[in-house]
Amino acid sequence: MAMELKSLSAQELEREKARLTEEYEAYCAKNLKLDMSRGKPGKDQLDLSMDLLNVLNETSDCTDENGMDCRNYGVPAGIPECRRLFAELFEVKPENIIVGGNSSLNLMFDYISQCMTHGVDAQHEPWSHQGKVKFLCPVPGYDRHFAVLEYFGIEMINVPMDDNGPDMDLVEKLIADPLVKGIYCVPKYSNPGGITYSDEVVRRLAAMQPAAEDFRIMWDNAYCVHEISDTPDELLNLYAECVKAGCPDRPVMFASTSKITFPGAGVSAIAASENNVQAILHRMSFQTIGHDKLNELRHVRYFKNLDGIKAHMQKHAALIRPKFAAVNQILTEELSGLGIADWKLPNGGYFISFNVMPGCAKRVVALCKQAGVTLTGAGASFPYGKDPDDTNIRIAPTLPPVHELETATKLLALCTKLAAVEKLLEQA
Amino acid sequence: MAMELKSLSAQELEREKARLTEEYEAYCAKNLKLDMSRGKPGKDQLDLSMDLLNVLNETSDCTDENGMDCRNYGVPAGIPECRRLFAELFEVKPENIIVGGNSSLNLMFDYISQCMTHGVDAQHEPWSHQGKVKFLCPVPGYDRHFAVLEYFGIEMINVPMDDNGPDMDLVEKLIADPLVKGIYCVPKYSNPGGITYSDEVVRRLAAMQPAAEDFRIMWDNAYCVHEISDTPDELLNLYAECVKAGCPDRPVMFASTSKITFPGAGVSAIAASENNVQAILHRMSFQTIGHDKLNELRHVRYFKNLDGIKAHMQKHAALIRPKFAAVNQILTEELSGLGIADWKLPNGGYFISFNVMPGCAKRVVALCKQAGVTLTGAGASFPYGKDPDDTNIRIAPTLPPVHELETATKLLALCTKLAAVEKLLEQA
């Protein structure tokens, strides 16, 4: 059955629909309850970091390398050894780092909030005083980024992604509007596309001339060391490029150990220019007396340095590689040649971006749901939840065990075919 | 020398000044470097909680009582057993609790930010759209509260405290202004006065009729179990009173384990009505996928229940009681009867509020600083850092060891006398 479905006659399609429906009903009878909706690490991945919990105990010296007692108040920018660890990760200097709590999303939300109410720094007006400000959103993208922008009433403009990153011709056109205040990027193993921005895209992001002086690139490097393949993608250092281009304040970069150690109890960080760091620390000086320094200490003593993190990430890769491979294999077996779906096995990250026939994504997700498999809602990877072509589905393969994943993927392939046949019959 | 200084003649004052100056110069020669500026627990207090670090290790079951893996994403309101622990502490139901990260200040900042940009809930306009909004600030009060309000441009109105809490006649008058959106309280062992609000004050706060429908009482119960004496103050449950009075949404209450376990790595919480909890969780759903659940688990397994916390707090009391007593004894020996200072030994909390002769607080703090003892800046306990009478100094006795504290307090008493003599000579 490697024939393109659209070449089938109406009669053949009806026959195919009956066959697929029967198969689908058999799935429904199984009372499945599987979840491929969110990019959560599996239990086996969480088990990798259990020794982190042994790092500190009642006999531990809890002082940082400056002699500060990490149990007590203070040190809002983070303890020096933890700033140094993240500096290695971001390829910047320790003074460009602020260590946060357990959530980089929280750091990003708070940063957008700060820009709205107080501006990017003391030299610039709050965004909320400047009119209806806008953000560029490479699509498909991460639903939680879009949700933060929507919460603050920031208008979102779709910018299509290709295999090199966002369409830079369009970006360079759109930034002529001084109300366009930023662009929200996942530059390595993008969520959900798995795309890593090319060197040229990174250089153009650094070299472009936004009309807004207070333009910011929200650079969510969530998957910076999250490899799957043995041939990792390489991402150019945006900050270094911006320094060269004379716009060091443009990027504000984020990462966390959520998918390195524990999503519930990791450490997050910001990397940015001295000016941005100062503006953020100024706001934080009102907001908190400091983040959890014992958890900073735990992480830095556990990993020691970037090599320690990378060695640890290889263990994650070993666990999730078979899951990505299983999804890819089943999709290939079930769908290749049918002309109704495309996807790409990424070199890293947490997702497979799966495109079905235009107008079918919602139907596929609904069919899966009805049969007991929860996927991320169709449209979620677009601002306002609106996928203009109703084509994109985000697959998150990490959480379920392989056998569940296989069942869920087979069902997904089946629903993809069923929805396509339905659509083709409508159009026939 | 138990004679009131103001009864001395100019000549006697000059003689006294010379004597005190000589004594002061002897202190300066000692090159002291002591800090009584912030309410930080001492090292001995931090050592009390070291077993907390043993609660979780590589063999631990990290699931909460609902079977959620605390290492993974999710559970933004906090794990059920931790909500229950804080519910006991706040005397509310678990569904009235949201567990936060390590900082209740952060929860308060974020709440004020939410009220400014989005309103107290979906039914009310953002405060920032309603004009120049105002807050009532019982004084003396906590500088970080005032700083949050100032950061968001909220106008602060002083309300004097007496031994029962804020002047409620004045409060009831001021809330007739619909732009007055709240009052910021530390209701038990107030910072810095050590005052616990009387039952009548709590009842009047619940019964009063603010013109603003979206009026909120910021109830920072930072010292709810932080006793020093064996006869603790009792605080009436504001939430229960507000429910009775038909205004359950009025109070938003905050606490943390910062001064129970570790300031750097504790757990914070909000207690509020279902409507407020829903509005706060709605905002948090954009801000984070959840706070540090492993630290919640650590705390709840360590303490088990409120009795566990109270037993632990007795150990703190045993360590800080001698410090408060030492300060009180030295101040009494050096200053009683002179008519130039008053203070009160509180039954709990972290501070002694020390009032010097009007117009002398800044001078006293500067003299201490010059001799190597750092106190909280004079005026810090008032909005905008402006103590109208320049009289209040906050003493934070917990951090320094007793012998340092004794030295610092002797110097403080000396500087209080010196500044008073200077002031009396000016007026002579």
Side-chain angles (χ1 to χ4, degrees):
Chain A
M1 208 187 88
M3 196 172 173
E4 292 217 354
L5 286 192
K6 67 181 173 204
S7 66
L8 298 186
S9 69
Q11 204 177 15
E12 286 168 320
L13 285 170
E14 286 290 359
R15 215 176 308 138
E16 187 64 11
K17 184 181 170 188
R19 195 187 63 75
L20 292 167
T21 302
E22 197 177 329
E23 212 181 318
Y24 177 70
E25 278 160 6
Y27 269 100
C28 291
K30 289 186 194 179
N31 290 315
L32 299 175
K33 213 185 154 195
L34 309 178
D35 195 334
M36 285 208 296
S37 69
R38 303 300 317 178
K40 291 169 82 165
K43 186 184 174 308
D44 52 353
Q45 291 179 266
L46 302 173
D47 288 342
L48 293 176
S49 302
M50 286 303 282
D51 281 345
L52 182 70
L53 301 178
N54 294 334
V55 171
L56 295 182
N57 61 44
E58 92 284 4
T59 65
S60 297
D61 169 20
C62 293
T63 54
D64 73 9
E65 63 183 28
N66 282 349
M68 289 293 293
D69 193 328
C70 293
R71 300 170 302 178
N72 221 327
Y73 288 112
V75 199
I79 61 173
E81 51 266 62
C82 196
R83 295 177 83 182
R84 207 163 56 231
L85 179 64
F86 276 109
E88 252 197 288
L89 189 72
F90 281 107
E91 303 175 311
V92 298
K93 292 182 192 153
E95 55 265 36
N96 296 113
I97 298 288
I98 298 169
V99 185
N102 75 321
S103 161
S104 60
L105 182 65
N106 203 325
L107 292 177
M108 295 188 276
F109 178 98
D110 288 4
Y111 185 67
I112 296 289
S113 183
Q114 169 191 324
C115 291
M116 287 301 284
T117 61
H118 288 74
V120 296
D121 57 28
Q123 285 70 56
H124 294 89
E125 284 290 297
W127 286 351
S128 65
H129 294 188
Q130 297 186 43
K132 179 78 177 171
V133 298
K134 305 168 194 172
F135 243 73
L136 307 184
C137 297
V139 290
Y142 180 31
D143 53 356
R144 290 190 186 272
H145 290 166
F146 304 148
V148 170
L149 297 172
E150 191 172 359
Y151 178 77
F152 285 105
I154 296 171
E155 186 182 323
M156 295 180 272
I157 302 171
N158 291 4
V159 174
M161 295 273 289
D162 62 26
D163 284 352
N164 296 307
D167 175 345
M168 285 306 299
D169 290 341
L170 183 56
V171 168
E172 284 161 356
K173 199 174 298 172
L174 291 168
I175 58 166
D177 178 353
L179 286 175
V180 170
K181 292 302 182 190
I183 182 169
Y184 218 139
C185 305
V186 181
K188 190 172 173 188
Y189 307 134
S190 66
N191 176 350
I195 302 297
T196 298
Y197 289 17
S198 71
D199 292 359
E200 195 208 335
V201 164
V202 173
R203 289 202 181 97
R204 284 174 76 176
L205 284 167
M208 66 188 188
Q209 306 282 342
E213 244 192 42
D214 52 355
F215 184 96
R216 290 293 181 269
I217 300 175
M218 296 289 286
W219 197 248
D220 183 3
N221 211 346
Y223 309 107
C224 48
V225 288
H226 301 59
E227 316 298 347
I228 300 171
S229 89
D230 293 330
T231 52
D233 296 355
E234 296 278 350
L235 175 69
L236 207 60
N237 180 341
L238 175 68
Y239 181 67
E241 293 303 315
C242 286
V243 169
K244 276 190 235 165
C247 56
D249 292 345
R250 184 172 300 170
V252 183
M253 311 192 285
F254 302 88
S256 80
T257 70
S258 288
K259 293 184 182 85
I260 298 174
T261 58
F262 300 131
V267 177
S268 63
I270 297 175
S273 69
E274 285 79 353
N275 179 54
N276 283 332
V277 163
Q278 195 182 7
I280 294 166
L281 284 178
H282 174 72
R283 180 248 308 160
M284 278 187 182
S285 74
F286 297 91
Q287 188 173 23
T288 182
I289 311 176
H291 295 104
D292 186 336
K293 294 187 295 298
L294 288 184
N295 212 27
E296 295 176 25
L297 207 54
R298 237 177 236 120
H299 277 75
V300 73
R301 287 187 185 169
Y302 184 61
F303 287 124
K304 295 186 176 60
N305 52 39
L306 182 57
D307 284 342
I309 292 180
K310 285 185 172 170
H312 188 75
M313 292 312 290
Q314 288 184 12
K315 299 180 201 165
H316 281 281
L319 293 175
I320 65 175
R321 197 181 297 125
K323 294 185 176 184
F324 279 80
V327 171
N328 187 49
Q329 191 186 330
I330 292 167
L331 293 179
T332 304
E333 284 167 7
E334 299 289 330
L335 298 172
S336 76
L338 299 186
I340 58 168
D342 62 84
W343 67 94
K344 181 180 160 270
L345 186 65
N347 284 329
Y350 262 63
F351 302 101
I352 293 173
S353 185
F354 181 63
N355 291 307
V356 297
M357 263 183 61
C360 288
K362 280 209 175 86
R363 175 67 180 152
V364 171
V365 170
L367 282 167
C368 285
K369 178 104 193 163
Q370 204 180 306
V373 170
T374 305
L375 298 167
T376 311
S381 46
F382 288 77
Y384 311 106
K386 287 183 194 153
D387 176 356
D389 299 322
D390 187 27
T391 187
N392 188 251
I393 295 172
R394 185 180 83 165
I395 303 177
T398 53
L399 184 63
V402 173
H403 67 279
E404 289 189 8
L405 191 63
E406 286 170 346
T407 306
T409 308
K410 281 178 191 163
L411 176 68
L412 171 62
L414 173 65
C415 297
T416 300
K417 285 186 271 189
L418 186 51
V421 167
E422 289 172 353
K423 177 64 70 182
L424 289 168
L425 278 167
E426 264 174 51
Q427 294 167 350
Chain B
M1 208 188 86
M3 195 174 176
E4 292 217 354
L5 286 191
K6 67 181 174 204
S7 66
L8 298 186
S9 68
Q11 204 177 13
E12 286 167 320
L13 284 169
E14 285 291 0
R15 216 176 306 136
E16 189 62 13
K17 183 180 172 186
R19 194 187 65 75
L20 292 167
T21 302
E22 197 176 328
E23 214 181 317
Y24 177 71
E25 278 160 5
Y27 270 99
C28 292
K30 289 185 191 180
N31 290 316
L32 298 174
K33 214 186 152 195
L34 308 178
D35 194 333
M36 285 207 295
S37 68
R38 303 298 319 177
K40 292 169 83 165
K43 186 182 174 309
D44 51 354
Q45 291 178 267
L46 302 173
D47 289 342
L48 293 176
S49 302
M50 286 304 280
D51 282 344
L52 182 70
L53 301 178
N54 295 335
V55 172
L56 295 183
N57 62 43
E58 92 285 4
T59 66
S60 298
D61 169 19
C62 293
T63 54
D64 73 10
E65 62 183 28
N66 282 348
M68 289 293 295
D69 193 329
C70 293
R71 300 171 302 177
N72 221 327
Y73 287 112
V75 200
I79 61 174
E81 51 266 63
C82 196
R83 294 177 83 182
R84 207 164 53 231
L85 179 64
F86 276 108
E88 253 198 288
L89 190 72
F90 281 108
E91 303 175 312
V92 298
K93 292 182 192 153
E95 54 265 37
N96 297 113
I97 298 289
I98 298 170
V99 185
N102 75 322
S103 161
S104 60
L105 181 64
N106 203 324
L107 291 178
M108 294 187 276
F109 178 98
D110 288 4
Y111 185 68
I112 297 288
S113 183
Q114 168 192 326
C115 292
M116 288 301 283
T117 61
H118 288 74
V120 295
D121 57 28
Q123 285 70 54
H124 293 89
E125 284 290 296
W127 286 352
S128 66
H129 293 188
Q130 297 186 42
K132 179 77 176 171
V133 297
K134 306 167 194 173
F135 243 73
L136 307 184
C137 296
V139 290
Y142 180 31
D143 54 357
R144 290 189 186 271
H145 290 168
F146 305 149
V148 170
L149 297 172
E150 191 172 0
Y151 178 78
F152 285 104
I154 296 171
E155 187 183 322
M156 294 180 274
I157 302 171
N158 291 4
V159 174
M161 295 273 288
D162 62 26
D163 284 353
N164 295 307
D167 175 345
M168 284 306 299
D169 291 340
L170 184 56
V171 168
E172 285 161 355
K173 199 174 298 172
L174 292 168
I175 58 165
D177 179 352
L179 285 174
V180 170
K181 293 300 182 190
I183 182 170
Y184 218 139
C185 305
V186 181
K188 191 171 173 188
Y189 307 133
S190 66
N191 176 351
I195 301 298
T196 297
Y197 289 18
S198 71
D199 292 358
E200 195 207 336
V201 164
V202 173
R203 290 202 181 99
R204 284 174 75 176
L205 284 168
M208 66 188 188
Q209 307 282 343
E213 244 193 43
D214 52 353
F215 184 96
R216 288 294 180 269
I217 300 175
M218 297 288 287
W219 197 249
D220 182 4
N221 211 347
Y223 309 108
C224 48
V225 288
H226 301 60
E227 316 298 346
I228 300 171
S229 89
D230 293 329
T231 52
D233 296 356
E234 296 278 350
L235 175 68
L236 206 59
N237 181 342
L238 175 67
Y239 181 67
E241 293 303 315
C242 286
V243 169
K244 275 189 234 167
C247 55
D249 292 344
R250 185 172 299 168
V252 183
M253 311 193 285
F254 302 88
S256 79
T257 70
S258 288
K259 293 184 181 87
I260 298 175
T261 58
F262 300 130
V267 176
S268 63
I270 297 176
S273 69
E274 284 79 353
N275 179 54
N276 283 330
V277 162
Q278 194 182 10
I280 294 166
L281 285 178
H282 174 73
R283 180 248 308 159
M284 277 187 183
S285 73
F286 297 91
Q287 188 173 22
T288 181
I289 312 177
H291 295 103
D292 186 335
K293 292 186 295 298
L294 287 184
N295 211 27
E296 294 176 26
L297 207 55
R298 238 178 234 120
H299 277 76
V300 74
R301 287 186 185 170
Y302 184 61
F303 286 124
K304 294 184 179 60
N305 51 39
L306 182 58
D307 284 341
I309 292 179
K310 285 185 172 169
H312 189 75
M313 292 313 291
Q314 288 185 10
K315 298 180 201 165
H316 281 281
L319 292 174
I320 66 175
R321 197 181 296 126
K323 294 185 175 183
F324 279 80
V327 171
N328 186 51
Q329 191 187 331
I330 291 166
L331 293 179
T332 304
E333 283 167 9
E334 298 289 330
L335 297 172
S336 76
L338 299 185
I340 59 167
D342 62 84
W343 67 95
K344 182 181 158 272
L345 187 64
N347 284 329
Y350 261 65
F351 302 102
I352 293 172
S353 185
F354 181 64
N355 290 306
V356 297
M357 263 182 63
C360 287
K362 280 210 175 86
R363 177 66 179 152
V364 172
V365 171
L367 282 166
C368 285
K369 178 105 195 163
Q370 202 179 308
V373 170
T374 305
L375 297 167
T376 311
S381 46
F382 288 78
Y384 312 106
K386 286 182 193 152
D387 176 356
D389 299 323
D390 187 26
T391 187
N392 188 253
I393 295 172
R394 185 180 81 165
I395 303 177
T398 54
L399 185 64
V402 172
H403 67 278
E404 288 189 7
L405 191 63
E406 286 171 347
T407 307
T409 308
K410 281 177 190 163
L411 175 68
L412 171 62
L414 174 66
C415 296
T416 300
K417 286 186 269 190
L418 186 50
V421 167
E422 288 173 353
K423 178 62 68 180
L424 288 168
L425 278 167
E426 264 175 51
Q427 293 167 350

